[in-house]
Amino acid sequence: MGMKRTGFGIAVGATILLASTFAASAADLPVKYKAPPPDPWNWAGLYGGINAGYSFGRDTFDQALPNLPAGRFQDGPGRILPTGGVFGGQLGYNWQIERWVLGLEGDAQWAGQRDPGCGGFECIQNFNAEVGAALVRHQVDWFTTLRGRLGYANGGYLLYVTGGAAWAGIRETATLQFDDSVASATVKNVVAGWVFGGGIEGRLSGNWTVKFEYLHLDFSPTTTTTRLATPAGLLPFDETNVVRSHVTDNIVRVGLNYRLWNAQATAPAPIDPAANAWRWTGAYAGLNGGYGVGNTSFKEFKYFDPVAPPLFGELTHYISSFAPQKVSPQGALAGGQVGYNWQINQFVVGVEGDAQWSGQKDTACAMSCFTAGGPVETVTQRYNWLATARARLGYAGSGYLLFVTAGGAWAEIEETDVFSGAAVYTSNFKQTKGGWVAGGGVEAWLSGNWTGKIEYLHFDLGSINHTFATTDQTFPTMGTQSTVRNDVIRVGVNYRLGG
């Protein structure tokens, strides 16, 4: 508890110090501003554009070799966490009735997401290079969506939710390795599913608009059966391999649209003069909620003494994961933020700090995870809380703010490692980790002193090395080494306290 309070106190203290210092200096600086005249912009019509962004998937899989004499089936989930860039275009049509906007949009995207998962039922390497490993790799080549949109227009921006159907091309590669005998097979699947999300779109100039949005894609589970065979190596094999997987994806992207054709059925709703006159300078505070998807890469270890030479005839002096394995804590977030902004013409600089409760948690298979007489080993990881202290840099449009943000981050991470040996050994521990965070989003004026925002943050919290002693004479020491990342999407409301 002491470590937890110390880390949390550092985060909150840094936030208060940054905000108060910046507010004191900014309050003495004069700002001259003249609101532009109202512009009756309307969203109705046909539009097209391009977009680019970042994707972070969380795929669950299990693997089986059913034709082995005893069979070998995975007990518990494995994780594949494909991440990468996305790029594509969209075409859509909007209808506007007063301030309400209905629309239909389709997009097609190239995707650079890929990731290997090790430990379908085994991911073991001995000190003498003996290997028993099952690996599955997912590569998202493309995806496309067809969605409805429902939005509320205010000022020069549009708040909207969106949902519909989605399709994707997934390249799945299964690999088996027993010592130096290796075989792989690749299958291309087209999967269908659903998509849901939301965002903010704002007018730039003329018929040009810019948007920031988040999409969650969930595809139907697949079962892929392949033949994995090789005559080479010390342990040649010919096996039927079955992989069951469930692919999900999270997309954060920015886009640029051009309205190709105006189709105004009713008179446009004039832009609220208060939105044009809104200024971002001042202190603010608010609440937020959202969702986080963690990306932790880990290796497990069992050893007698990793630097001592093996004993005569010894086969299991030192064992580790053959390749990095993954666990992905996901769940809801809730918290609050305080900050201060300073606006110069259309540019905004500021500082912001936040503290979050987190419900992110996940359990994944580790070195060995099969039911046919083998041991079952798992890693469970969760986030108890998150905190950041960040700078913000933004561009202010008519009632909205596009911003990027970066700074320091802290989190309390709780982990439970379960190992098998002469008995089952369990180790539970907590660590407060510090690192960095970067992201961006859009904030929009709502009414009075109230604003709303949607933002994405990527956390890098460094590495965790954990070892513990056991009563196992063969492996008296066990442990894990991991690198901890987290991706968060959240919405929030702020109230400007003064400025």
Side-chain angles (χ1 to χ4, degrees):
M1 290 295 295
M3 182 177 294
K4 174 177 178 180
R5 291 174 178 169
T6 300
F8 195 84
I10 292 173
V12 174
T15 298
I16 294 173
L17 179 60
L18 281 170
S20 61
T21 303
F22 204 95
S25 60
D28 297 330
L29 295 173
V31 177
K32 295 181 179 180
Y33 178 74
K34 182 179 180 180
D39 180 6
W41 165 259
N42 191 284
W43 293 91
L46 179 71
Y47 63 91
I50 58 174
N51 68 75
Y54 182 72
S55 52
F56 47 102
R58 184 183 186 272
D59 304 347
T60 299
F61 77 96
D62 66 72
Q63 196 171 12
L65 299 179
N67 292 343
L68 281 176
R72 187 164 290 189
F73 300 88
Q74 184 174 331
D75 184 4
R79 298 282 182 241
I80 304 170
L81 307 177
T83 60
V86 297
F87 177 80
Q90 63 272 347
L91 184 68
Y93 194 93
N94 288 324
W95 296 266
Q96 182 166 351
I97 304 173
E98 295 183 343
R99 295 198 182 277
W100 294 100
V101 177
L102 298 174
L104 183 66
E105 182 174 290
D107 61 76
Q109 307 284 137
W110 166 87
Q113 293 178 254
R114 61 200 64 191
D115 185 51
C118 184
F121 46 79
E122 197 169 53
C123 187
I124 293 177
Q125 176 175 270
N126 288 342
F127 79 97
N128 58 357
E130 290 180 338
V131 174
L135 302 96
V136 177
R137 183 177 188 268
H138 277 172
Q139 178 173 329
V140 182
D141 292 327
W142 58 267
F143 69 88
T144 184
T145 74
L146 181 61
R147 294 169 284 106
R149 298 207 306 173
L150 173 62
Y152 177 78
N154 194 23
Y157 64 87
L158 173 68
L159 298 169
Y160 64 88
V161 293
T162 182
W167 299 265
I170 311 294
R171 191 178 308 182
E172 182 176 280
T173 301
T175 301
L176 290 179
Q177 180 168 351
F178 300 116
D179 292 349
D180 59 347
S181 300
V182 184
S184 297
T186 299
V187 176
K188 294 182 180 180
N189 293 319
V190 176
V191 294
W194 55 266
V195 58
F196 182 79
I200 303 178
E201 189 166 358
R203 186 187 180 195
L204 289 177
S205 178
N207 278 13
W208 290 99
T209 63
V210 62
K211 69 175 181 178
F212 176 92
E213 71 181 356
Y214 163 76
L215 298 176
H216 175 78
L217 296 85
D218 192 309
F219 298 102
S220 298
T222 61
T223 299
T224 303
T225 301
T226 55
R227 179 187 176 192
L228 299 180
T230 178
L234 297 174
L235 296 172
F237 57 85
D238 187 342
E239 298 293 343
T240 298
N241 181 75
V242 180
V243 176
R244 291 180 290 270
S245 63
H246 181 195
V247 176
T248 60
D249 208 359
N250 300 278
I251 310 297
V252 178
R253 63 187 183 184
V254 294
L256 189 67
N257 283 326
Y258 184 81
R259 191 168 64 179
L260 302 167
W261 176 48
N262 302 338
Q264 187 174 304
T266 60
I271 291 179
D272 191 332
N276 282 322
W278 173 258
R279 298 287 289 165
W280 295 93
T281 297
Y284 63 88
L287 301 174
N288 69 73
Y291 196 71
V293 179
N295 186 325
T296 296
S297 177
F298 71 90
K299 278 191 170 186
E300 285 194 326
F301 298 87
K302 299 180 184 178
Y303 54 82
F304 181 78
D305 183 349
V307 298
L311 303 175
F312 178 76
E314 187 178 26
L315 297 178
T316 55
H317 179 71
Y318 178 78
I319 290 179
S320 70
S321 300
F322 170 68
Q325 301 175 261
K326 309 294 170 62
V327 62
S328 177
Q330 70 172 0
L333 305 163
Q337 63 274 343
V338 295
Y340 192 92
N341 288 324
W342 174 34
Q343 182 169 348
I344 306 173
N345 297 322
Q346 289 184 288
F347 294 96
V348 176
V349 294
V351 291
E352 181 175 288
D354 61 79
Q356 310 279 138
W357 164 86
S358 173
Q360 293 179 250
K361 184 179 179 180
D362 188 37
T363 299
C365 286
M367 281 194 297
S368 184
C369 207
F370 62 93
T371 58
V376 176
E377 296 163 340
T378 60
V379 169
T380 299
Q381 197 174 83
R382 69 174 299 160
Y383 293 89
N384 290 327
W385 56 261
L386 302 165
T388 76
R390 295 169 284 107
R392 299 205 309 172
L393 174 63
Y395 173 83
S398 180
Y400 68 89
L401 173 67
L402 298 169
F403 64 88
V404 293
T405 182
W410 299 264
E412 183 183 76
I413 298 168
E414 184 173 354
E415 183 172 305
T416 301
D417 302 327
V418 178
F419 288 85
S420 298
V424 175
Y425 303 96
T426 301
S427 176
N428 178 267
F429 67 95
K430 296 179 182 180
Q431 283 196 17
T432 298
K433 296 295 297 180
W436 58 266
V437 60
V442 181
E443 189 167 357
W445 172 78
L446 297 177
S447 178
N449 275 16
W450 290 98
T451 63
K453 69 175 180 177
I454 177 173
E455 68 184 350
Y456 161 75
L457 296 176
H458 175 76
F459 290 75
D460 188 319
L461 297 170
S463 60
I464 295 175
N465 296 320
H466 173 65
T467 59
F468 65 98
T470 75
T471 58
D472 192 312
Q473 294 182 353
T474 306
F475 302 114
T477 306
M478 301 180 183
T480 58
Q481 295 179 352
S482 59
T483 57
V484 182
R485 311 285 186 267
N486 198 20
D487 294 287
V488 169
I489 186 76
R490 63 187 185 184
V491 295
V493 291
N494 284 322
Y495 185 83
R496 192 176 65 180
L497 302 170

